[in-house]
Amino acid sequence: MAALCESFTLCGLGPGGGLGLGGGLLALEPGPDPDHVLLTDRGRTATLFKVSDQKPLGCWSVKQGQIITCPVVCNFETHEYVAVHDDKVLRIWKNQDINLDKVFKATLSADVYRIHSLPNGGPVVLFKGGGVRTLDVLLEAPQQEIENVISDEVIKWSEAFMEGQQPVLIFATEKDGDFFVYVQKLKMNSLHKYKLEQQELSKPLNFVAYIKKQIITLLCLYSNDSVYKVLIPLQQNTEEKEQILPKSLLLNLSVSGSVLKGTSFVVLDKDHVAVLGRLAASGEESKECLTIWNTKFQTLQTSKELPLGTSGQLWCYEEKFFFTHGKVLTVIMYKCETSSLAAAVGKLKDSQTPDVSSFVNWNTLEDEELAASLPSEQPVALTSESRMSLRSKGNTVAEVQPDTLSVGQLLLNLKNASTTVFEDELRQLISKVQMPDLQATIGCVVTALINRCKTKPKYYPQNFLLQIVETQDLSYSLCPDLMAVALEKKDVYLLQICLQRFPDIPEEITCACLKVFLSMSEAYLQRVDVNLESVICYIDIELNNKEVKTEIIENGFNVELEQDIWDTKITEKTHLTAGGEFCPVGPQKAALLNAVLLSAYSETFILPHLKNLPAQQAVLFLRYLYYLYVKCSEKINTALPGICCPTISQIMDWMCLLLDAHFTVMVMLPEAKGLLSNLHKFVRAQVRFYSELNKIEGSLRELQRLHHQKDPQTYSIEVLELI
Amino acid sequence: MGEFEVHRVRFFGLVPAGVRCLACQPRGPRLALARTDGAVEVYNFAVNYFQEKVIPGHDSRSVEALCWAAGDRLFGAGLNGEVTEYDLARLCAARSIDGCGGPIWSMAANSNGTQLAIGCEDGSVKLFQVVPGGIEFERNLDRRKGRILCLSWHPSDTHIAAGSIDTLRVLDVSSGQTVQRIMVNYHTQKAKRECIVWSIAFLSSGTIVTSDSFGRVQFWDREQETLLESHTVSTSAVLSLAVSEEEDSIIVGTSTGATYQFQLLPVKAGSLQKRWVRTKPFQHHTHDVRAVAHSSTALISGGLDAQLVIRPLMEKMQKKGYDAVLRKFTFPHRRLVSCARKARLLLFQFSQHLELWRLGSTDETGKDGEVLPLCRMPEHLVQLKSKGPEHIYCSSVSPCGSWVAYSTASRFHLYRVQYEGNGVSVKKVPKMPKLLLPAYQLQFSSDSSSLFVASARGSVHVLQLLEPGGCKHQHRLRPPSGSPEAVYLLASSADGHWVAAVSGDWAIHIYNLKCFKHHCSVPTYNCAVTAVAIHPVTNNLVIAYSDQQLFEFSIPKKQYTAWSRTVQSCGLHRMWLERDSPITHITFNPKNPSHILLHDIYMFCVLDKSLPLPDNSALLMNQGTLKQLPETARKRQLHAFKICKKFQPLLFADLLDENCLVMVERPIIDIKTQLPLPIQQKKFGT
């Protein structure tokens, strides 16, 4: 969720504020260091602020009669400041310079529109005629002739980025209601002109652009209260004439009847934009607001009323908004966390809160968003197959691997291939580790396998599925059908692994697994391969028992007969442990049940499914839980020995759940009676024991204290033997 | 080997004074430390952090600041308003000069050690020129209200940053004017309380680092007078701060006993932009950490709990060695206890008094580990209070128990103690001969007929003790080549033939007492000597060095013994060499000439020369294992080192008779109870 945090005043504006001449702000630019901003007003002054201290660090003015026409920027490489006054006169100075009259001056041959300073590329100068020069080039010959590119169009907005090593400049112009976008790559000296798709009855008010993976995303705020997205690919080698850029609606700035008349906006991260504007509800007086919108969910996340009015300008650096509010420049900090549905319903695991980074990392933008809306691509039909192919096409373009087939395509081709060929191809596919969308690909592969299983009832590649589940970080949602098929095939080993590895199994499936595990016969389970590491430490495996027995039995008995008796006994209830308690289930079943006990669930969701458990199975499960509980209580630390064992609180929780779900049945069932009364007795004994312990706690502590002060005397004669 | 009856003594109520300030010698191996009682100590990092020199305290000479100047000269300043230079050869205060500004709270030397700046109670900062033979007042810098609690020179020596209450100032050294004045309280709401700037550091970049009573460590930009960064490290005061020479690491000490390291680290990997980040927290102390220092390889902190903690920075360690392990020093590296073997008396040395105790006795015997019932309790016989403000340098009781001697910086006292039935009478010996004072070590001969006094310039005085209570100066022994350093260890032979003296330059001279001539000197081994003793039968001198090496030198033959050569060729056990604290006392068992008894703070060892030396694969501390083995199997496991770690921290151990030992312990917990309560800290929401 995005949120606005505390705000403070950076400085006053206007005649009383001591800054400028009341002309308002021309622009705000980042300063030479973090936490510094450069403020240029519409008069003669530029001021450097340290934001967190709310303190001006330096202030420079041009002479009376001159006027700064282009926002002052900082050259990050040399820590110099660059400004233009009176359209043509360039000034460069350093921190310690005081008088701007005495600093470096160069008079240019054309009017400057803006200077953009790039963190590792140096400043770039955009002239009003559309010509672009880097500052270095310009300083070599200040009087050089600057070409006019845009004839009689007027520049409305510009922005610069670094793409790899080269600066890219984008600017928008207007002529007679038509808007054009120019993209200039400085090093290659290439200029592209595009025309923005026309929108009836409205025109762009404000632009924001960012670059990611060679594609410029241009967001335009239109006067019809909407934000549109335009994608401009950088790698366009064809010299076509004036392409028309299609645009797509990103966000409609309206919420429950009221409409936000935006004046300016900034992008916060891939899902959030902040818009400054006038919120007008029908019939009410409109008021100025700063708002943060989530473009993914199309929602207004937070807003703040600004009753004193703003100048309509909004800047954003280092997680802070800057805007004029009344007669002061106000700073509001914000937090913007990645929004997800999981976070919204409070199910996001807290352990990995993403670091709040101070810059927008465009590389985390999902590829599909770009690829899906690239103008050159086909219109998208939202079937999973075609989505896959599209996405991978986007990738192959980026990775320059033209001869590999896309995953979806491959899977389609393989649909009718023979089993061996099919599996071989899939194995090859999985082994391509560098694939960017590995997770999604694996998901597709598993889905393909499962689909094949569904169509060919005899086909079930257990080993292959096991291998995938064990080696890849899959989740339930990536291959929802996998567990369903495994349940159908009663593949308990796969189910066990899935329960251990998938973080997001629905409670319904968990219960289905539980049901299958409980219903299986011990005899069948003994033949099945199951991971026993969670039970090995507290249940005696009967193999050992048998070994011991055979030694004794050889003393004249009929071995086979004896063994038969043992087997039947075992399958009934003969896992005698040292404490004299029986384990009601065999080790395999116990291991499977442990996998269920350890899986994540939500009580409210699991309870209805748990009610579907047959009474006999519920009693068996309760008996096992009771056994575990007794086992836990044997040890002083109330924990089961071994690895991946359920904890006592997990056991208790499940016991309570099970009793909640089946209480009436349990009360009625004769075979549950003894168990319940035993359980009751045991719990009562435990409670009594702990309450007694509580009573003598003071005495125990005193004992411990006495033990510590074993020899408080200051003198003793002792015997010491050295050997 | 045998059973001992051990008198386990815990009534030595020593409370080491808290650490007040620390100073690392610039580009040198030494660390100077001052305690709250005015004592100054010098630790030598080059020889396993041995506490090389101790200058006992003085009631009117508190030390608030220490600094090294002009290479190896040590200066101290304190609340008596004087700047004192210490004579590290004679181990005393050499000369003092009044600062004329009231109590001095802080002092700092400039980068090349030619000037000292002091910060006074009256708010002035004064400059002194370090000249040969002393210091000279140079001038006053701008004086403002408020005591100057801390000072720091800019590495270029052009400016001084001074911390006071609520403010810090930057003074221009050439003009003497206050160039900047920064209110440290400006940004906080808590302005009602005054904020004391406890410590300050001026970095070459112009950044000023302060630590204050609000628990903050703040970084200020000198040029802009702005706060660059503020880190709140504690809810209570941050008392001390030290910066590494590369200015990439800072250690701060707080009043809760915690210390923290700050490091200047890149914001991102590979980025040039750097920030100060609080990296490592440590909780080695229980009380205020009043002093911290930052050597090139370690963080050093000293607290009011009297502990000196040296925590190595593993990233700066080239190889595994003594420096690569955390070291904690609480007790002095010298003896404060002496023992009258025959009379079974113990003499305890405190900073300003002595206590004489008689040990108890038992008439029962028992098995290993048993505590025997006492038939007589130990008895506190006499307490001798030293008059005057000077603290005691050294003390000794004669083997027969009838003589007690001690020395302060300017006075030497000898007492005749007589035991009549239950009563004890103490008579001061009048008309003491004039000696070169102070005495650094006192040693009675084994027949109690003479007293050896270790003095300055390498000399040893021999006093003859006369019945019923007199004394005569007999001779003054001096090394033939002369020595500027004081003698700090003495050992005399049982037959009264020899005396060995160790001086501050670690040279060991042996004198013949029959003809009062220099007999020989032990070949120089470039390490500090921590203990020496002469064997009563063989007249071999056993020497323990601070690098844990042991040597045996035959005095009659003037050469190392064969056993010593074997030890050197085989090498001592790795575990022995890695021990933490130096051997502080060596003694022998006259009935068992092959035994050498030695101890450090953490162990007592009987070294049996007749047994083979253990190699590194053997277990050094094997007593526990041996006890579990049957008698027959023990033989193969035996080795020369019989180590007992039962008694800790062990301040003194001696053999009373053939199978009777005395061990003087001082449990840390007993010291803790003597200290004021530490600041209560909330734990776990209680």
Side-chain angles (χ1 to χ4, degrees):
Chain A
M1 286 288 283
L4 292 169
C5 307
E6 70 264 48
S7 68
F8 54 86
T9 300
L10 187 60
C11 65
L13 299 167
L19 255 185
L21 293 166
L25 289 184
L26 186 60
L28 201 71
E29 289 279 341
D33 296 302
D35 201 30
H36 288 61
V37 292
L38 265 169
L39 201 138
T40 313
D41 68 15
R42 290 191 196 278
R44 304 188 291 125
T45 326
T47 318
L48 176 68
F49 276 95
K50 185 165 166 62
V51 179
S52 56
D53 288 358
Q54 307 163 39
K55 189 175 173 183
L57 300 180
C59 180
W60 299 275
S61 300
V62 292
K63 250 197 299 197
Q64 188 90 42
Q66 296 173 337
I67 185 159
I68 299 183
T69 51
C70 160
V72 179
V73 296
C74 176
N75 184 345
F76 299 108
E77 284 172 336
T78 58
H79 278 223
E80 287 169 332
Y81 303 100
V82 187
V84 174
H85 63 81
D86 302 313
D87 292 327
K88 278 192 174 122
V89 188
L90 188 76
R91 293 282 191 178
I92 299 175
W93 73 94
K94 289 209 169 218
N95 234 335
Q96 58 266 37
D97 292 317
I98 297 161
N99 193 342
L100 283 197
D101 268 347
K102 292 178 183 161
V103 303
F104 176 85
K105 172 182 176 183
T107 308
L108 308 175
S109 63
D111 287 357
V112 174
Y113 175 73
R114 258 197 93 157
I115 304 173
H116 290 279
S117 183
L118 293 164
N120 9 335
V124 178
V125 183
L126 171 66
F127 290 90
K128 283 190 178 160
V132 180
R133 296 284 186 279
T134 62
L135 189 65
D136 297 344
V137 171
L138 201 59
L139 289 179
E140 278 167 21
Q143 282 295 323
Q144 63 185 276
E145 200 174 310
I146 308 295
E147 69 281 358
N148 190 346
V149 186
I150 57 172
S151 55
D152 47 355
E153 296 157 22
V154 181
I155 302 182
K156 286 284 170 192
W157 165 87
S158 66
E159 183 63 272
F161 324 97
M162 288 302 286
E163 169 60 35
Q165 286 303 308
Q166 66 163 331
V168 175
L169 202 105
I170 173 169
F171 56 94
T173 61
E174 190 211 354
K175 185 189 175 190
D176 306 334
D178 284 336
F179 281 83
F180 302 95
V181 176
Y182 292 82
V183 176
Q184 168 116 34
K185 282 184 270 185
L186 256 75
K187 284 227 173 106
M188 294 164 68
N189 212 3
S190 71
L191 181 71
H192 284 279
K193 184 179 181 183
Y194 304 91
K195 189 176 180 204
L196 269 184
E197 191 187 356
Q198 282 235 334
Q199 178 81 18
E200 274 179 43
L201 297 173
S202 73
K203 58 185 185 117
L205 296 171
N206 203 337
F207 300 88
V208 169
Y210 56 84
I211 192 161
K212 196 223 155 191
K213 283 200 177 165
Q214 306 255 315
I215 296 168
I216 297 173
T217 306
L218 180 68
L219 302 182
C220 317
L221 176 68
Y222 270 70
S223 53
N224 62 353
D225 314 318
S226 302
V227 178
Y228 290 90
K229 178 155 101 173
V230 177
L231 293 168
I232 310 165
L234 257 188
Q235 280 181 334
Q236 198 100 38
N237 296 324
T238 47
E239 291 287 335
E240 285 174 57
K241 269 207 163 178
E242 219 180 80
Q243 289 181 328
I244 292 187
L245 289 170
K247 62 180 190 290
S248 58
L249 181 66
L250 182 73
L251 179 68
N252 204 340
L253 299 174
S254 67
V255 55
S256 59
S258 43
V259 174
L260 184 78
K261 297 267 173 210
T263 49
S264 62
F265 75 122
V266 290
V267 180
L268 308 182
D269 68 8
K270 63 172 175 150
D271 295 330
H272 293 90
V273 296
V275 185
L276 184 71
R278 209 165 255 287
L279 194 63
S282 53
E284 275 180 54
E285 203 180 323
S286 67
K287 49 207 170 189
E288 285 203 73
C289 280
L290 175 64
T291 52
I292 298 183
W293 299 75
N294 187 319
T295 56
K296 201 162 158 190
F297 302 133
Q298 298 277 320
T299 51
L300 173 64
Q301 295 244 301
T302 180
S303 76
K304 185 184 170 76
E305 270 187 46
L306 305 166
L308 300 178
T310 69
S311 66
Q313 293 158 294
L314 176 68
W315 298 273
C316 168
Y317 299 111
E318 294 170 356
E319 306 215 312
K320 295 181 191 78
F321 293 120
F322 298 79
F323 54 89
T324 55
H325 183 213
K327 284 187 173 147
V328 294
L329 178 65
T330 300
V331 181
I332 293 190
M333 289 184 246
Y334 70 90
K335 263 197 227 115
C336 199
E337 283 151 19
T338 327
S339 47
S340 66
L341 202 54
V345 285
K347 272 206 141 188
L348 189 69
K349 279 179 188 158
D350 234 8
S351 56
Q352 288 155 336
T353 344
D355 297 322
V356 186
S357 56
S358 56
F359 57 93
V360 185
N361 186 0
W362 296 114
N363 288 319
T364 57
L365 267 177
E366 275 164 40
D367 288 0
E368 62 184 321
E369 288 177 31
L370 291 172
S373 47
L374 258 182
S376 61
E377 292 285 355
Q378 308 286 322
V380 184
L382 277 171
T383 67
S384 74
E385 299 281 43
S386 59
R387 261 179 64 152
M388 265 323 295
S389 68
L390 253 186
R391 181 189 298 165
S392 46
K393 243 181 220 166
N395 292 328
T396 44
V397 169
E399 305 253 288
V400 201
Q401 285 178 323
D403 39 19
T404 49
L405 270 174
S406 73
V407 181
Q409 209 65 44
L410 187 78
L411 291 175
L412 270 180
N413 291 354
L414 283 174
K415 210 163 190 175
N416 299 318
S418 74
T419 308
T420 44
V421 175
F422 179 70
E423 285 193 17
D424 280 350
E425 286 288 333
L426 291 189
R427 270 180 224 274
Q428 267 183 22
L429 197 61
I430 291 173
S431 59
K432 282 182 203 153
V433 203
Q434 317 89 322
M435 262 193 300
D437 262 333
L438 188 67
Q439 294 299 317
T441 314
I442 302 285
C444 286
V445 168
V446 176
T447 315
L449 274 172
I450 295 299
N451 285 339
R452 203 181 174 91
C453 290
K454 280 183 183 162
T455 47
K456 295 183 184 171
K458 280 190 184 159
Y459 176 70
Y460 186 64
Q462 195 208 12
N463 287 335
F464 191 30
L465 287 172
L466 271 177
Q467 187 198 340
I468 294 176
V469 174
E470 283 192 322
T471 52
Q472 314 291 347
D473 281 333
L474 277 184
S475 62
Y476 179 84
S477 40
L478 263 179
C479 44
D481 287 342
L482 174 65
M483 284 187 80
V485 170
L487 276 170
E488 205 177 290
K489 304 268 180 193
K490 302 216 166 170
D491 183 355
V492 286
Y493 189 31
L494 184 64
L495 286 175
Q496 187 192 21
I497 304 284
C498 289
L499 281 168
Q500 283 168 356
R501 291 191 172 249
F502 291 179
D504 53 349
I505 300 173
E507 283 78 356
E508 189 183 356
I509 300 292
T510 313
C511 275
C513 290
L514 181 63
K515 207 166 168 179
V516 167
F517 294 161
L518 285 169
S519 67
M520 284 179 131
S521 77
E522 298 282 351
Y524 171 75
L525 280 174
Q526 270 174 25
R527 294 194 300 272
V528 179
D529 192 14
V530 171
N531 184 354
L532 287 179
E533 64 179 5
S534 69
V535 295
I536 204 102
C537 290
Y538 61 93
I539 298 184
D540 296 322
I541 307 292
E542 77 269 36
L543 273 177
N544 298 346
N545 274 348
K546 264 189 209 165
E547 298 278 313
V548 176
K549 283 296 158 199
T550 36
E551 273 174 38
I552 307 163
I553 292 160
E554 270 172 8
N555 210 355
F557 287 95
N558 183 340
V559 179
E560 276 178 31
L561 189 82
E562 192 69 28
Q563 202 136 4
D564 273 354
I565 294 166
W566 266 103
D567 275 354
T568 46
K569 267 190 189 171
I570 286 160
T571 45
E572 306 249 289
K573 51 173 180 181
T574 51
H575 297 281
L576 192 66
T577 62
E581 290 290 331
F582 297 107
C583 181
V585 294
Q588 284 85 2
K589 196 177 266 191
L592 294 172
L593 292 177
N594 281 355
V596 174
L597 294 184
L598 289 168
S599 65
Y601 65 90
S602 163
E603 271 182 37
T604 19
F605 296 121
I606 204 162
L607 211 53
H609 300 296
L610 210 55
K611 282 195 172 127
N612 295 336
L613 216 59
Q616 293 305 326
Q617 291 182 11
V619 171
L620 181 62
F621 190 36
L622 186 64
R623 195 167 275 153
Y624 177 63
L625 287 170
Y626 172 53
Y627 164 80
L628 283 183
Y629 181 45
V630 173
K631 268 275 151 199
C632 277
S633 310
E634 277 172 9
K635 295 271 159 50
I636 191 143
N637 56 354
T638 60
L640 288 170
I643 44 171
C644 302
C645 290
T647 64
I648 190 156
S649 53
Q650 278 169 329
I651 296 166
M652 291 300 275
D653 287 348
W654 271 98
M655 223 188 274
C656 296
L657 273 176
L658 195 64
L659 286 173
D660 280 349
H662 289 271
F663 189 69
T664 42
V665 184
M666 292 273 183
V667 171
M668 306 291 275
L669 223 58
E671 58 259 52
K673 220 169 218 172
L675 177 64
L676 282 181
S677 101
N678 279 346
L679 186 59
H680 175 67
K681 271 184 204 153
F682 186 74
V683 171
R684 200 174 52 192
Q686 290 282 93
V687 169
R688 208 170 284 162
F689 173 65
Y690 282 116
S691 73
E692 292 298 314
L693 266 185
N694 265 334
K695 277 183 206 160
I696 60 165
E697 193 188 4
S699 318
L700 288 174
R701 195 163 287 158
E702 193 62 19
L703 268 178
Q704 201 175 13
R705 206 177 61 81
L706 281 177
H707 184 72
H708 275 303
Q709 301 182 332
K710 202 174 61 187
D711 34 17
Q713 73 265 52
T714 54
Y715 181 71
S716 59
I717 300 179
E718 295 175 18
V719 180
L720 171 73
E721 187 192 13
L722 289 177
I723 301 160
Chain B
M1 195 193 93
E3 286 188 348
F4 293 98
E5 185 186 297
V6 180
H7 292 254
R8 189 172 192 178
V9 173
R10 294 176 167 197
F11 46 72
F12 180 23
L14 173 78
V15 180
V19 177
R20 179 61 195 86
C21 44
L22 290 169
C24 273
Q25 189 180 21
R27 290 165 293 279
R30 291 183 166 83
L31 171 78
L33 174 153
R35 296 193 181 265
T36 47
D37 65 353
V40 173
E41 295 163 9
V42 176
Y43 290 81
N44 192 337
F45 283 12
V47 290
N48 286 13
Y49 304 158
F50 183 61
Q51 189 191 49
E52 209 178 22
K53 319 222 173 213
V54 178
I55 302 172
H58 191 285
D59 273 355
S60 64
R61 205 176 61 215
S62 75
V63 184
E64 289 293 319
L66 274 179
C67 61
W68 296 89
D72 52 0
R73 290 169 67 181
L74 182 64
F75 294 88
L79 299 182
N80 60 356
E82 288 179 348
V83 181
T84 306
E85 179 170 3
Y86 294 98
D87 185 337
L88 293 179
R90 293 186 55 230
L91 304 183
C92 57
R95 47 199 153 254
S96 294
I97 180 165
D98 194 347
C100 298
I104 301 171
W105 291 95
S106 52
M107 177 169 66
N110 66 354
S111 60
N112 50 20
T114 54
Q115 278 178 312
L116 291 180
I118 59 168
C120 305
E121 172 77 18
D122 67 354
S124 61
V125 175
K126 293 162 196 281
L127 286 187
F128 286 84
Q129 191 85 35
V130 180
V131 293
I135 53 171
E136 273 173 11
F137 175 72
E138 196 176 321
R139 61 207 182 83
N140 275 319
L141 303 185
D142 188 21
R143 192 182 121 187
R144 298 274 172 96
K145 207 171 150 239
R147 60 174 68 139
I148 305 291
L149 285 159
C150 46
L151 282 175
S152 176
W153 288 78
H154 189 266
S156 68
D157 295 346
T158 53
H159 292 83
I160 293 175
S164 184
I165 294 161
D166 289 335
T167 57
L168 70 92
R169 289 197 278 148
V170 179
L171 298 138
D172 187 311
V173 176
S174 53
S175 71
Q177 293 306 307
T178 300
V179 193
Q180 260 114 7
R181 187 164 171 274
I182 299 174
M183 302 291 292
V184 292
N185 243 352
Y186 185 70
H187 298 281
T188 48
Q189 305 301 315
K190 306 189 260 186
K192 276 178 192 156
R193 272 198 297 145
E194 62 181 19
C195 175
I196 301 164
V197 179
W198 280 118
S199 192
I200 198 163
F202 207 154
L203 308 185
S204 49
S205 61
T207 303
I208 299 172
V209 193
T210 60
S211 71
D212 61 38
S213 58
F214 287 0
R216 300 174 302 189
V217 175
Q218 297 186 310
F219 296 82
W220 303 87
D221 186 309
R222 185 183 89 70
E223 301 263 320
Q224 313 279 2
E225 296 184 38
T226 49
L227 181 64
L228 297 176
E229 284 175 52
S230 179
H231 301 258
T232 302
V233 298
S234 174
T235 48
S236 48
V238 183
L239 297 172
S240 47
L241 177 157
V243 186
S244 69
E245 203 173 343
E246 297 87 49
E247 298 189 351
D248 58 355
S249 164
I250 291 176
I251 173 177
V252 299
T254 67
S255 58
T256 55
T259 52
Y260 299 93
Q261 190 189 6
F262 283 79
Q263 279 175 290
L264 190 60
L265 297 174
V267 181
K268 280 185 285 182
S271 155
L272 284 175
Q273 194 194 350
K274 289 184 171 182
R275 278 181 80 101
W276 286 100
V277 181
R278 195 177 93 185
T279 50
K280 298 177 200 131
F282 303 106
Q283 183 82 46
H284 296 305
H285 301 274
T286 54
H287 288 71
D288 291 16
V289 179
R290 290 292 292 269
V292 289
H294 201 311
S295 78
S296 58
T297 56
L299 305 178
I300 305 164
S301 57
L304 287 189
D305 54 2
Q307 278 198 97
L308 170 67
V309 177
I310 300 167
R311 200 268 176 198
L313 295 168
M314 295 317 286
E315 65 268 24
K316 300 276 172 67
M317 288 291 152
Q318 306 294 323
K319 58 183 196 313
K320 202 183 158 204
Y322 188 85
D323 318 339
V325 184
L326 176 77
R327 302 289 168 192
K328 286 187 182 185
F329 300 111
T330 312
F331 298 102
H333 289 163
R334 61 198 181 116
R335 271 197 293 146
L336 297 176
V337 182
S338 51
C339 170
R341 281 188 179 194
K342 289 169 197 157
R344 301 216 162 183
L345 302 176
L346 288 178
L347 181 72
F348 299 136
Q349 177 187 323
F350 294 84
S351 62
Q352 284 187 286
H353 70 273
L354 304 173
E355 280 180 12
L356 189 63
W357 288 74
R358 178 184 284 141
L359 293 173
S361 63
T362 183
D363 38 21
E364 310 235 349
T365 52
K367 282 205 224 49
D368 181 38
E370 276 180 30
V371 178
L372 304 178
L374 300 178
C375 66
R376 201 182 55 177
M377 291 301 287
E379 202 181 342
H380 184 187
L381 299 176
V382 178
Q383 180 168 16
L384 283 171
K385 277 198 176 134
S386 155
K387 293 196 186 73
E390 294 170 346
H391 293 188
I392 297 171
Y393 270 65
C394 57
S395 63
S396 186
V397 60
S398 67
C400 65
S402 49
W403 301 91
V404 169
Y406 76 89
S407 168
T408 66
S410 62
R411 288 180 307 141
F412 176 75
H413 300 274
L414 182 64
Y415 293 91
R416 173 79 181 169
V417 187
Q418 267 162 337
Y419 310 91
E420 297 136 353
N422 286 332
V424 179
S425 73
V426 180
K427 243 187 270 165
K428 193 176 170 190
V429 175
K431 286 184 228 153
M432 287 298 295
K434 285 261 180 292
L435 297 172
L436 186 60
L437 287 175
Y440 307 101
Q441 176 85 324
L442 298 167
Q443 173 84 36
F444 286 93
S445 67
S446 59
D447 59 356
S448 305
S449 67
S450 44
L451 171 64
F452 307 104
V453 181
S455 284
R457 312 186 74 81
S459 61
V460 178
H461 295 277
V462 184
L463 304 183
Q464 195 181 4
L465 304 175
L466 305 169
E467 293 294 338
C471 137
K472 193 178 88 181
H473 189 265
Q474 207 170 11
H475 208 275
R476 182 180 175 201
L477 304 166
R478 294 162 83 173
S481 52
S483 166
E485 296 276 338
V487 172
Y488 72 99
L489 285 174
L490 285 175
S492 67
S493 69
D495 58 6
H497 229 98
W498 312 102
V499 66
V502 186
S503 52
D505 48 7
W506 310 328
I508 306 172
H509 293 283
I510 296 160
Y511 302 95
N512 186 330
L513 292 172
K514 294 295 166 208
C515 53
F516 296 113
K517 281 252 169 67
H518 183 259
H519 175 66
C520 66
S521 51
V522 178
T524 342
Y525 180 74
N526 202 17
C527 194
V529 183
T530 66
V532 284
I534 299 174
H535 197 281
V537 180
T538 58
N539 275 341
N540 288 337
L541 179 72
V542 177
I543 311 157
Y545 287 98
S546 66
D547 61 355
Q548 311 296 1
Q549 290 294 344
L550 293 172
F551 286 88
E552 192 186 39
F553 182 81
S554 166
I555 294 175
K557 290 184 191 158
K558 300 189 188 181
Q559 63 180 17
Y560 287 120
T561 62
W563 181 79
S564 183
R565 286 173 212 277
T566 320
V567 169
Q568 286 313 304
S569 61
C570 298
L572 288 161
H573 194 279
R574 189 172 49 80
M575 295 291 284
W576 177 269
L577 296 176
E578 282 174 5
R579 272 170 36 249
D580 184 53
S581 60
I583 300 285
T584 47
H585 186 51
I586 302 172
T587 187
F588 303 93
N589 189 347
K591 298 274 156 52
N592 244 332
S594 67
H595 287 180
I596 305 172
L597 285 69
L598 9 83
H599 79 89
D600 65 13
I601 300 279
Y602 301 107
M603 61 103 214
F604 168 76
C605 173
V606 177
L607 181 52
D608 189 342
K609 288 198 289 173
S610 62
L611 288 173
L613 291 167
D615 61 2
N616 277 339
S617 60
L619 194 64
L620 182 68
M621 314 255 177
N622 62 350
Q623 286 296 316
T625 342
L626 284 178
K627 276 174 193 167
Q628 285 163 13
L629 289 176
E631 296 268 354
T632 46
R634 286 180 184 174
K635 268 257 158 60
R636 276 181 295 118
Q637 300 289 328
L638 288 180
H639 62 66
F641 290 86
K642 299 167 188 314
I643 294 173
C644 163
K645 303 198 81 164
K646 186 178 178 186
F647 310 101
Q648 284 185 359
L650 187 58
L651 297 191
F652 180 75
D654 206 357
L655 187 83
L656 294 172
D657 63 36
E658 198 182 337
N659 48 17
C660 185
L661 288 166
V662 59
M663 305 269 186
V664 180
E665 285 177 289
R666 182 60 180 154
I668 297 282
I669 190 83
D670 293 358
I671 297 178
K672 292 267 156 74
T673 56
Q674 304 277 312
L675 295 174
L677 284 175
I679 290 181
Q680 284 296 325
Q681 275 176 291
K682 270 196 166 189
K683 268 185 192 153
F684 314 122
T686 51

